[in-house]
Amino acid sequence: MRPAFPLGGVARIGCVACLWFAVHICLGRGAALGQEYDPWQPFNRAMFAFNDALDTYALEPVAKAWDRIVPERVEQSIANLFQNVYTPIVAVNNLLQGKPRDAAEDVARFMANSTFGLVGLFDVASCWGLAKHDEDFGQTLAVWGVPAGPYLVLPFVGPSSPRDVVGYAVDSIATVYWFFADIRFTVGPQTIQVVNSRAQVLDAVRELKSASVDYYAAVRNAYVQRRARQIRDQQEGTGPDEDFYRIEE
Amino acid sequence: MKYGSNAAACVTLRPRGVCLFLALGLLYGATAKADATPREVIEQTADAVLAVLQDSTLTGEQKRQRIEDIASTRFDFDTVAKLVLARNWRQLSPEQQTRFKEEFRKHLSLTYGRNVDQYNNERAEVTGERPEAGGDWTVKTRIVRPQGGEPIRVDYRLRKFGEQWKVIDVIIEGTSLVANFRSQFQEIVSREGPEKLIQLLQEKNARGEPLGQGAGSKS
């Protein structure tokens, strides 16, 4: 999900925020699985509650209505479309991470899906064996050795970290430049994307809510685990470290 | 790997409800052969669970019940409970440990068991396996959804107890359930103590949290 982002403000707030974050990142330390580094928890919990309320009273009802009207396959096609638009950014990030082969594959995917896939509505590239990659600038920064810093929940955006905020801002700006489009023209599509994405995870979110004793901590952990696995490109063997499964009697 | 016409759904977050259920459901099942390899354990169980799910003569409640009855043959709940509490485990008195295990188990069963009604012809297949440090074993599977969308990767971590391999963690799309619960419980235990955690689980279980009416979607 990549919701709308007011760009002018981001640049300014970003600079101040970066400084502030930099200090905290220096103080930060790697968090063992199951105990994320979360020194800003009071702020985060407040933001989380705000986002959750926003979701419960605005986004989820809209997404439910959308989900009732729009068939599942159409939802998928809309998701494909946005995914396709974002593919050039994935390619650039793959290049920046030193993976030219993956980047080339992304370019091929983009060309295939934009033409034969009808501007991306259908992911024909995957059917032809061109693998999809999941990259963003936050991951690129991680590959370059930038630590995530503390867990951070942003209003409207959700779970993040100082590193991912920077990555997110860079990706968002790059996406807009790619479009050569004014923010006024991207708000509509982005709203559709947010609603559509939310509609696709109605069950999953409900499930996570009911399955967790502490919803905040469950989401935080899921986010941290997900980012870790995206950064290592889904490779095996680097999951939870071995002490994780040791039982001390 | 064969793709359908609607192959490779491309969403950042994917619906996990049914998958979570299948993931756990996979573990519930038939007779355990004593010397089965980890892979066989998972395969046999997958078959057995699908048989239960596809049995139209059973009501949802019966399926759930059947699943509950045999859950313990595939999971080692003792180990799961200890892993989930990690170093906090020793803070609990033996009596608290027993109550925690009971409530946690109930929580898993209530949360995931009710998804039997959402079963929509998903299939599970083993895609690989690998040994882990310390003698554990991981069996990799994926759940294929005939209605389209990308398959969901589910890994099972097994440990050998006597002659039998039992599951000690389920890792869905790379997210370990044990790690996720550990994070939640760590927070509660360190802030408010183990008794509070047991109490929270009890309250949640007592509510039973029935499925919301009209919630959910077509999946």
Side-chain angles (χ1 to χ4, degrees):
Chain A
M1 259 186 281
R2 314 193 71 81
F5 222 84
L7 289 174
V10 167
R12 257 165 283 143
I13 297 168
C15 289
V16 180
C18 283
L19 276 174
W20 184 57
F21 289 151
V23 176
H24 282 267
I25 291 170
C26 294
L27 302 171
R29 51 174 194 272
L33 268 170
Q35 41 199 68
E36 295 80 42
Y37 182 48
D38 187 11
W40 301 332
Q41 193 168 147
F43 170 83
N44 286 343
R45 279 200 186 260
M47 287 306 111
F48 189 80
F50 170 77
N51 286 341
D52 193 34
L54 199 69
D55 180 64
T56 307
Y57 296 109
L59 184 53
E60 196 192 11
V62 174
K64 268 185 185 165
W66 174 274
D67 194 57
R68 260 193 294 273
I69 299 161
V70 182
E72 200 167 331
R73 274 165 200 276
V74 176
E75 278 180 7
Q76 189 54 53
S77 276
I78 293 170
N80 287 346
L81 186 84
F82 285 107
Q83 190 91 23
N84 187 50
V85 164
Y86 186 69
T87 304
I89 310 280
V90 177
V92 171
N93 277 304
N94 262 324
L95 268 186
L96 293 173
Q97 292 174 31
K99 293 181 285 192
R101 289 180 73 103
D102 286 1
E105 203 167 18
D106 293 327
V107 172
R109 280 182 60 82
F110 182 66
M111 295 197 297
N113 283 344
S114 301
T115 52
F116 297 103
L118 305 180
V119 282
L121 285 171
F122 301 96
D123 185 5
V124 291
S126 289
C127 306
W128 297 345
L130 290 166
K132 190 169 53 191
H133 304 112
D134 180 11
E135 303 294 347
D136 53 63
F137 196 65
Q139 292 182 54
T140 300
L141 289 173
V143 170
W144 291 352
V146 179
Y151 180 64
L152 172 68
V153 182
L154 294 172
F156 302 101
V157 175
S160 193
S161 69
R163 180 181 67 203
D164 288 339
V165 168
V166 175
Y168 182 48
V170 169
D171 285 331
S172 302
I173 291 164
T175 310
V176 171
Y177 271 102
W178 159 245
F179 274 128
F180 298 104
D182 195 281
I183 187 84
R184 279 170 297 180
F185 302 111
T186 57
V187 163
Q190 280 181 323
T191 307
I192 292 174
Q193 187 191 6
V194 169
V195 171
N196 189 63
S197 309
R198 184 65 182 85
Q200 289 194 306
V201 294
L202 283 171
D203 287 339
V205 171
R206 202 161 36 90
E207 181 85 15
L208 187 60
K209 271 190 193 181
S210 78
S212 50
V213 179
D214 181 349
Y215 183 41
Y216 169 85
V219 170
R220 181 184 62 194
N221 176 268
Y223 176 77
V224 170
Q225 286 201 60
R226 177 167 155 262
R227 290 305 280 170
R229 125 187 131 250
Q230 285 174 324
I231 289 161
R232 61 173 195 259
D233 285 337
Q234 322 286 344
Q235 272 159 15
E236 340 179 313
T238 39
D241 58 271
E242 285 316 314
D243 276 351
F244 182 84
Y245 287 107
R246 188 165 302 153
I247 291 176
E248 305 158 45
E249 297 275 4
Chain B
M1 188 156 160
K2 200 166 159 288
Y3 287 99
S5 58
N6 193 29
C10 314
V11 238
T12 331
L13 285 159
R14 252 181 258 114
R16 293 197 313 172
V18 173
C19 321
L20 271 170
F21 152 65
L22 269 176
L24 292 163
L26 253 183
L27 310 165
Y28 305 149
T31 44
K33 208 173 83 193
D35 52 353
T37 66
R39 189 192 180 104
E40 285 166 349
V41 167
I42 298 298
E43 280 170 347
Q44 289 163 4
T45 320
D47 292 344
V49 168
L50 287 184
V52 172
L53 287 171
Q54 288 164 348
D55 187 343
S56 50
T57 63
L58 297 173
T59 66
E61 189 47 47
Q62 283 171 319
K63 289 179 186 173
R64 241 188 312 276
Q65 197 52 53
R66 213 164 265 214
I67 276 163
E68 268 230 51
D69 289 347
I70 39 193
S72 50
T73 67
R74 293 308 189 187
F75 263 112
D76 191 80
F77 276 107
D78 268 14
T79 305
V80 174
K82 284 176 193 163
L83 285 175
V84 157
L85 281 186
R87 62 169 182 273
N88 291 317
W89 179 252
R90 279 171 299 179
Q91 282 189 35
L92 277 68
S93 69
E95 178 265 341
Q96 282 176 319
Q97 291 176 348
T98 311
R99 277 193 295 137
F100 169 77
K101 270 192 290 198
E102 191 41 50
E103 293 300 332
F104 182 53
R105 194 187 151 134
K106 216 171 175 179
H107 173 67
L108 289 177
S109 151
L110 275 173
T111 311
Y112 300 114
R114 63 167 175 250
N115 284 335
V116 283
D117 303 324
Q118 288 185 34
Y119 176 68
N120 196 6
N121 290 312
E122 289 87 351
R123 284 176 301 109
E125 49 195 48
V126 174
T127 56
E129 57 188 314
R130 65 167 182 271
E132 301 282 1
D136 287 354
W137 204 274
T138 293
V139 177
K140 295 153 62 67
T141 71
R142 64 169 189 210
I143 293 167
V144 184
R145 295 178 290 165
Q147 66 272 34
E150 243 175 331
I152 293 105
R153 294 178 302 118
V154 182
D155 296 354
Y156 299 90
R157 193 178 176 109
L158 295 96
R159 187 167 286 177
K160 200 165 191 179
F161 298 90
E163 285 302 295
Q164 252 186 36
W165 288 94
K166 290 192 170 183
V167 175
I168 58 165
D169 195 7
V170 183
I171 300 123
I172 299 162
E173 286 285 327
T175 301
S176 147
L177 282 191
V178 165
N180 197 275
F181 279 114
R182 184 185 286 187
S183 181
Q184 296 178 49
F185 294 173
Q186 163 71 31
E187 193 93 26
I188 297 164
V189 172
S190 63
R191 230 181 17 227
E192 304 177 76
E195 196 53 45
K196 177 72 181 178
L197 172 63
I198 298 169
Q199 187 199 326
L200 280 173
L201 279 168
Q202 254 162 359
E203 284 168 11
K204 208 163 163 86
N205 290 339
R207 279 199 303 272
E209 306 237 337
L211 272 178
Q213 287 298 310
S217 60
K218 295 149 294 207
S219 63

